[in-house]
Structures are given as structure tokens and as C-alpha cells.
Amino acid sequence: MDAHSYNAALTELRTVRDRIKKARAELAKLEADRDQRISRLAAYDKAKAERIAPAAGMSVANIVALVPALAPDDLAAPRQAPEPVTSPETDFDGTAQQQAAAPAMNGAQSQPVAPPPQISTAPAGATPESAAPTAPRTLPSLPEGEAGDAWFTHTANLASTRPNFTQQARSTVFLDTTSGVLVHRHQTHHLDLGRRTAADVLTAVFHTVPDGVERIYITAGDPWHRDADRYPYLRDAVTAWLNAPTPGWRTDTGRGRDRMAGHFVHARNPVGRYQSDDGKTHVEIRSVGEWFDLGTNDTPATVRDAFVLLWQALRRHWSDAVLMGSPSQTGRDLWTRTIPARGQHADGFPVLSEELRGLLHATAGQGRNELITPPRVPEQLPALVEYDRTFAYAKHTWKSPVGAPRRITAATFASWSEKEQIRALYGCGHWHVRVTVPDTWNHVGLLPAPAPGDRAWHYPAAPGTTFTTWAGGPELHTALTNPLQPWKIEILDGILWDDGKPLDDWAKKLKDTWTNLTTQAQIHGDPGQARAAHLASRAVRAILLYGIGSFAQRPRMVTGTTPRALERDVPPDAEIVGFDDQQITWQRPTGFSRDPNAHPEWAAAIWSGARAALLSQRHRDDDTYAGALHTMPGTVIAFRTDALYLTQPQNWPYHHQPGDYLLRGHLTGPHPPPPTQEELHALRDARRAPHPPRQEARCRP
């Protein structure tokens, strides 16, 4: 670019700036006009927010915020916002991953600690202190007396049981929407995808494979992002792509045992569900990013081979294994086929009351994601070193809660001996506690606390800080027996289960499958098949990760569309997320379903164990420890679900086993600390040390 073109470009940029300014001014005028019209409509004595909202293209909540007098009765009480899902399916939801070894907390009891653990109890009837003005989010607690005791039941006639049917495989194709290459079984085709709309994809695929296709995996191209520059957020672009007109097709309404219907809007891994106008053909358009999580530039043939290898490897353990649409669906289906047919638990695993499930949803966080900035770390980092826990969550599936939950009040806990208290905190429990950081503490925070925001968590570390939170047994055990200094824990209330192994058989089979595939990736002489085996091992990780997350069963969010002419049919509690001349797109929460496989207590226990292992994990065979608390103060830069970012390399053992800390990258310094998670990720991706496939079998959130 020369000086002339540079000056010309500046002139054009100023023109764009002025057009933006005018457009914003015009938008402000239109919004003011809209608000005035809404206020005038509200003067009508029969005006309803649910009628005005779709006409204004706003949610009911926004209408009520503008005109409080329009608040419907069912919106008078504040609602808790649902937690953003981490699984590729809204219908389930999740996170997670990781040979049957002792848990991460094993051996922590033998660590030398100076003073004894400081466990105390709150007086009967005590309640947590009020939230500070800067931390408006207060976690829910168990109601006092009989009202709270009534929560400690199972939902009637709802339990996880072994299925008595065989899943049916779906006809599947693999499509690269950039090159137009389609792989169907052992055949390769080249398609003209036009503008890469959903209609173009469906037309081209069904013209090429007329016998019928039930699932289309997009291996590359991300067609739902083709107009991303027209929208402020990727999610908006995805919504528009999914809901664009598809002549001859309409949004699927579900069928048979697979009751999932409607599109799933996700910024990077959406699911489009369509059915033909005659209702005879049902098809999904999905992303392979759900399975491999890092994206892939591999050919559709390599991705197809990865799915074949995955299916063959799973069949060694499950004779009726079928790969379903997503890892979460596949994981849960495989787990149900490990439920005992005889003996204990042959009748299944009962589902908790909806009240306890809601409490766990609100108080049991997932992976720890924290960026630590100066002055808690140096202004110039001598290095940035990444350690990633291999197949991490598989390390924490050996023990899970079973049986009827018991309420452990502060008074009950206080009546126990010290031995009984320690045994309870090391067991399968979820505890409401008041925590005090020691006055001389100089390391990272140990326990999650509610931060401002709908589902935000932070980890207080300032000496003398007191906060109230909920935490699992592994984290409390770490706080009380850590190698530096025990924290003060005051028990306010708790939920305690018996120890069981409902996930152990399932996880062992998945770990064996993962080991088999990673070994193939190491030794296979064909680079293409080695790559396919590596991808298949990544898919096993996703099955465990999202399978565990799916047990959490978050409240569902349903997305739907309504013709503009029928806008009064938009559900009154729906949020308008988009509209055009033909239809309105909306979404609404539907709460908890009667899901027989909803076990948030299992997901919460695994997440707690994984967070604790980021702090301290014993390696029995090496008689050593790893984790953040075994580093020098001020050297921990960040936590990322199953990864640690440090300023110094560590001599931690790595034996390619689930939970082991793998050195993933080393950036030499000096370097300023990354101010945001995004910049941390950019540094991570740019400077990761290359490793052979056998060492890349790791977890990544």
C-alpha cells in the first residue's frame, strides 16, 4: 500500500464512521419511538406483556422492565438464570473427563500439616451472612425444618434402568462444505453447495444419496458462520442460518424414542434438525467439533475412518454399542447398558427430588477457570508453562454418591466425633460452609465462592477473607489437609450419600477403549489410520466428558419459531432472539424434565474431585505430589478446567495415565502476564510444544 492508497482508505474509513454514527442515531430514535408506543399500549386495561413482547421483538422481561405494571403473576418472583451449558447438547448438558487408580485425594491424609484441621459448626438456625454489595449473588440454602427435610427423597417412579431395546444406527455422511467433498460409506462425491445454506446442503446431499441420510456431519467449513460479519455475535449468525427458509423441509418435531426436536443453537457446534414436508424423512446437520473438540482439517474420509475405529473399539466392551448423534447421547446410552441386570441396583438408580437437583444445579460449579493477574503474579513472567491433566475426569469416577441422601445439619455434625467428621467430609457429600482464609495465606484460593454474575465463581485467596459457599468433599478435604496451612471450615448444612460405584464399570471400559486407540495411534504404520485412531481416542474423551456433564441435567432451553402472522402464539415466557418478514425465532427455559438419567450428584462429585486434583494430587507409585499447591507462591498464572499455567517447569511424573500432568507447552520470557483468557489461549496455541500423538490424548475444555 502506498501513501495515496493509504490516504484514500482513511477517507473511506471516515465515511463508514459517519454512516455508523447516523445509523446509531436513527436506531436510538426508533428505539425511543418503540418504547413510547409500548408505554401507550400499556395504558389499555387489558394489555398483556406476553402479547406486546413479540410485536416489539422483545422478551417479556424487557417489556416488564419498561412498564412494571405489565408484570404477569408468574413473573412476579425472580427467576434464577439457567447455567450456560458446556455440552454440545442443550437436551443434556455437560463437561468432563479420565485407569482405575486411587482418587486424586488418596494419600492426602498422610500429608504432614502443622495445626489440626479447623472444622467448626454453626449454631442451630444460623444463616449465612448477607452478600456484600459487590457480590449480589447469594447461593440458595436448604430450608429449615420439615420443609427442607422433605427435599431428601427420590422422585417417584423415576429411576435409571437398563434398557431393554437396541439402539438403531443412523445412515451417516461426512461433508466438507469448503471443498464440497462428501463421503458416504466407501464412496466419495463432489457436491455443488451453492451458497452453503441449510437448504443448499440438504438439496445437494439428498440428490447425491437418494436412498436417504439421517445424519450429516460437517467436517470443515462451518457453513453456519458464512454471514458472521453481518451479526454482532456468532450465535446470531448461527440462529439465522438454522432458521433460514428450507423449501421442502421444516424444523423437526421429534419422533419415537429420540424425543429431541428443534434446532440447537450453539456458537460453534450447532445442531439443525429437519424433517421433510411429508414427515417421512428426518435428518440432522451436525459438527464433528462435538466429538473432537479442537476442530479438524482432516478429510471427510479420515473422519469417517475415525468413527469406524471408534465404533469397533467400543464394540469390544458393548456388543450393542451404537454411535449416536453426540458424545453426550452416546455416553449416557453406553452407561445405561452397564446398569446391573441382577443384584444390587438391578432396579436402577433413583433420581433425586427436583428440589435437590435444583440446589445442586445452582451450587455445584464445573471446571475451575481462573486467570491470576498482578500483583499476585510478577509484572514480567520469566516463562509460561502449560501442564494439562491427561483424560482428567476419568481419574475421578471410581466413587460416586448412591442411595437416599441424608441431611447433616450443623448440630448433627457437631455431635459426631472428629473421626466421624473427617470420614463424612471425605465421603460423597455436598456441604454448605462458611470459610475463612488463614491470616498468613500467600498462595492460590482453594474453594469456589459465588461471584457477581449468573453462574460465576471465583476463588478468594486474600488472608482473613470469610465467605459462604457450597463445596464437595474432595475440595473440603484439600482445604483442611493441604500441605501449606489448613483453612477454617464452618459447617452450616450438608447432604451426604453412601459411597458407591455406579460409574466405575462404564469408565473402566471407556479408559480401556481410550488406551487401545491411543496405542493404535502410536504404532500404526499407515499415517492416515494413525491419525484416525488419534481422532477416535479424542472422541472417547468426549464421550466421557459430555456423558458426565449430561448427568447434571441442566434446565432445558428450547428454541422455536412462529410465523409472523401467528405472533400471538409465541409462548408468553419466551425471549425473542430474532425475526424476519416470515417468522419469529424465540427461546424459553422449560425447567427440569422427567429424565430418568438425571444424576447431578454424580457430576458434582467428579467436578469437585477434579478441582481438588488441580491443587494437590498424589502419585503413589512415585511417592510424590503434583498440583498448584506444590509450586512456589506467585508462580500459578491460570487454571483452565484440567490445565495449569505456571511460570516455572515442574518435575512431575507422567506415565500416560488418566490424571497425569502432561507438559503441553513452554513459552520463554520475560513476557507480560496475559490480561484476558483470550490472550492466554492465544499464547497457549502459539507456543505449545509439539508432541507425538500418544502424548496428545489430553483433556481440553
Side-chain angles (χ1 to χ4, degrees):
M1 176 180 286
D2 56 21
H4 177 74
S5 58
Y6 175 75
N7 290 326
L10 284 176
T11 301
E12 293 174 357
L13 183 59
R14 295 186 189 100
T15 301
V16 173
R17 176 201 63 195
D18 294 341
R19 290 170 58 190
I20 291 174
K21 184 177 180 180
K22 290 179 180 179
R24 284 176 175 163
E26 181 63 22
L27 176 61
K29 289 174 58 179
L30 288 172
E31 289 178 337
D33 181 42
R34 178 200 62 194
D35 293 348
Q36 291 176 2
R37 293 174 185 271
I38 292 172
S39 298
R40 289 197 293 269
L41 285 169
Y44 178 51
D45 58 359
K46 294 184 179 180
K48 294 183 179 296
E50 56 265 34
R51 288 288 308 279
I52 297 175
M58 300 169 67
S59 68
V60 172
N62 287 335
I63 296 294
V64 171
L66 184 63
V67 187
L70 291 177
D73 293 339
D74 62 346
L75 291 183
R79 295 184 181 184
Q80 182 174 354
E83 176 174 349
V85 300
T86 54
S87 160
E89 289 289 348
T90 38
D91 306 84
F92 302 120
D93 168 44
T95 344
Q97 331 162 29
Q98 328 268 15
Q99 187 137 88
M105 293 307 303
N106 274 1
Q109 294 168 314
S110 63
Q111 295 186 54
V113 291
Q118 302 177 52
I119 310 174
S120 60
T121 55
T127 56
E129 67 274 6
S130 301
T134 55
R137 189 165 68 95
T138 302
L139 296 179
S141 59
L142 291 165
E144 294 292 336
E146 293 182 0
D149 295 342
W151 290 17
F152 286 77
T153 61
H154 289 119
T155 301
N157 303 315
L158 191 65
S160 306
T161 57
R162 191 182 184 94
N164 57 6
F165 64 93
T166 301
Q167 290 287 359
Q168 298 300 308
R170 301 282 183 89
S171 175
T172 302
V173 298
F174 302 88
L175 174 64
D176 182 333
T177 58
T178 300
S179 65
V181 173
L182 175 83
V183 171
H184 177 228
R185 296 175 182 165
H186 295 289
Q187 297 179 332
T188 301
H189 308 271
H190 294 269
L191 310 186
D192 180 0
L193 297 176
R195 297 185 302 117
R196 299 191 300 154
T197 64
D200 292 335
V201 170
L202 291 169
T203 299
V205 170
F206 278 86
H207 176 76
T208 305
V209 189
D211 293 339
V213 170
E214 295 176 279
R215 188 172 294 138
I216 303 169
Y217 277 121
I218 305 300
T219 64
D222 295 343
W224 35 80
H225 293 161
R226 67 187 186 92
D227 292 328
D229 56 344
R230 295 173 51 192
Y231 298 90
Y233 303 104
L234 279 180
R235 184 181 174 88
D236 296 335
V238 171
T239 299
W241 189 89
L242 290 172
N243 292 295
T246 49
W249 300 85
R250 63 177 185 270
T251 303
D252 201 346
T253 55
R255 60 196 168 119
R257 294 184 183 277
D258 185 359
R259 295 185 298 276
M260 289 195 300
H263 305 313
F264 169 51
V265 181
H266 186 279
R268 302 198 179 276
N269 297 317
V271 182
R273 300 185 177 102
Y274 303 91
Q275 65 182 97
S276 58
D277 284 341
D278 60 11
K280 295 181 180 179
T281 303
H282 300 255
V283 63
E284 293 179 331
I285 301 177
R286 314 186 71 113
S287 168
V288 296
E290 297 179 76
W291 292 87
F292 307 130
D293 84 0
L294 294 177
T296 175
N297 294 319
D298 297 283
T299 66
T302 300
V303 175
R304 183 270 321 276
D305 291 346
F307 274 90
V308 171
L309 288 173
L310 173 63
W311 175 76
Q312 291 173 340
L314 290 172
R315 281 272 173 153
R316 294 186 178 95
H317 297 287
W318 288 275
S319 61
D320 54 353
V322 170
L323 297 183
M324 302 178 71
S326 72
S328 63
Q329 292 171 284
T330 305
R332 293 219 308 187
D333 180 68
L334 293 176
W335 172 75
T336 61
R337 297 173 194 279
T338 65
I339 296 175
R342 295 184 301 275
Q344 189 180 17
H345 305 303
D347 293 334
F349 296 93
V351 173
L352 295 176
S353 68
E354 184 169 335
E355 291 83 2
L356 276 189
R357 281 182 280 152
L359 181 72
L360 285 165
H361 162 62
T363 61
Q366 299 183 14
R368 178 171 182 169
N369 292 294
E370 180 185 20
L371 181 66
I372 302 174
T373 56
R376 294 176 59 193
V377 297
E379 293 289 349
Q380 290 292 318
L381 306 182
L384 182 63
V385 186
E386 179 191 7
Y387 284 92
D388 205 353
R389 294 187 67 225
T390 296
F391 206 13
Y393 283 15
K395 178 80 170 179
H396 308 290
T397 55
W398 70 286
K399 181 177 74 171
S400 300
V402 295
R406 292 174 287 152
R407 181 174 189 174
I408 309 300
T409 64
T412 300
F413 190 87
S415 69
W416 289 349
S417 66
E418 181 180 346
K419 183 177 180 179
E420 289 174 317
Q421 291 179 350
I422 292 175
R423 184 189 301 119
L425 291 178
Y426 191 59
C428 293
H430 191 56
W431 300 92
H432 197 193
V433 294
R434 184 179 289 117
V435 183
T436 301
V437 182
D439 290 337
T440 58
W441 188 257
N442 66 345
H443 218 296
V444 298
L446 303 187
L447 293 171
D454 286 338
R455 289 288 299 175
W457 299 90
H458 67 150
Y459 294 80
T465 301
T466 296
F467 59 95
T468 299
T469 190
W470 285 82
E475 292 168 283
L476 293 182
H477 193 268
T478 299
L480 291 165
T481 64
N482 74 81
L484 303 178
Q485 185 179 11
W487 283 28
K488 180 181 178 182
I489 306 295
E490 183 180 3
I491 301 297
L492 303 173
D493 219 332
I495 309 168
L496 189 62
W497 291 267
D498 293 334
D499 296 352
K501 294 181 177 294
L503 304 178
D504 195 42
D505 185 37
W506 173 72
K508 284 180 178 178
K509 290 178 177 179
L510 289 177
K511 285 183 280 191
D512 185 74
T513 303
W514 172 77
T515 300
N516 176 278
L517 289 168
T518 52
T519 301
Q520 287 190 54
Q522 294 175 34
I523 67 176
H524 207 294
D526 183 336
Q529 287 299 299
R531 176 62 180 171
H534 172 63
L535 291 177
S537 73
R538 298 294 300 160
V540 176
R541 170 261 183 198
I543 289 173
L544 187 86
L545 168 70
Y546 296 121
I548 289 170
S550 72
F551 290 122
Q553 197 234 0
R554 306 298 183 190
R556 296 186 180 188
M557 184 71 73
V558 173
T559 302
T561 59
T562 300
R564 288 293 296 266
L566 301 174
E567 65 181 37
R568 66 173 57 192
D569 293 338
V570 173
D573 58 344
E575 176 187 1
I576 308 300
V577 295
F579 55 87
D580 55 28
D581 293 338
Q582 284 76 40
Q583 61 187 11
I584 299 169
T585 304
W586 48 266
Q587 65 180 17
R588 67 184 180 91
T590 61
F592 293 101
S593 66
R594 280 186 59 84
D595 183 352
N597 296 321
H599 293 286
E601 68 276 20
W602 297 349
I606 292 170
W607 294 336
S608 178
R611 291 194 299 267
L614 279 178
L615 298 169
S616 181
Q617 172 176 278
R618 186 183 181 193
H619 292 261
R620 286 183 177 274
D621 293 343
D622 301 278
D623 192 25
T624 189
Y625 293 87
L629 293 180
H630 303 279
T631 66
M632 294 295 294
T635 61
V636 179
I637 302 300
F639 297 86
R640 179 66 179 171
T641 303
D642 52 12
L644 274 177
Y645 296 86
L646 310 172
T647 62
Q648 297 176 358
Q650 305 294 318
N651 188 28
W652 293 337
Y654 184 75
H655 303 299
H656 305 277
Q657 295 299 311
D660 285 358
Y661 279 90
L662 167 67
L663 175 62
R664 288 290 297 129
H666 188 155
L667 173 66
T668 57
H671 196 282
T676 65
Q677 289 277 5
E678 290 72 21
E679 293 195 30
L680 173 68
H681 299 162
L683 289 173
R684 173 200 69 188
D685 295 339
R687 295 303 181 103
R688 271 186 172 173
H691 291 282
R694 69 177 184 272
Q695 289 187 320
E696 292 183 346
R698 67 198 188 289
C699 310
R700 172 59 49 209

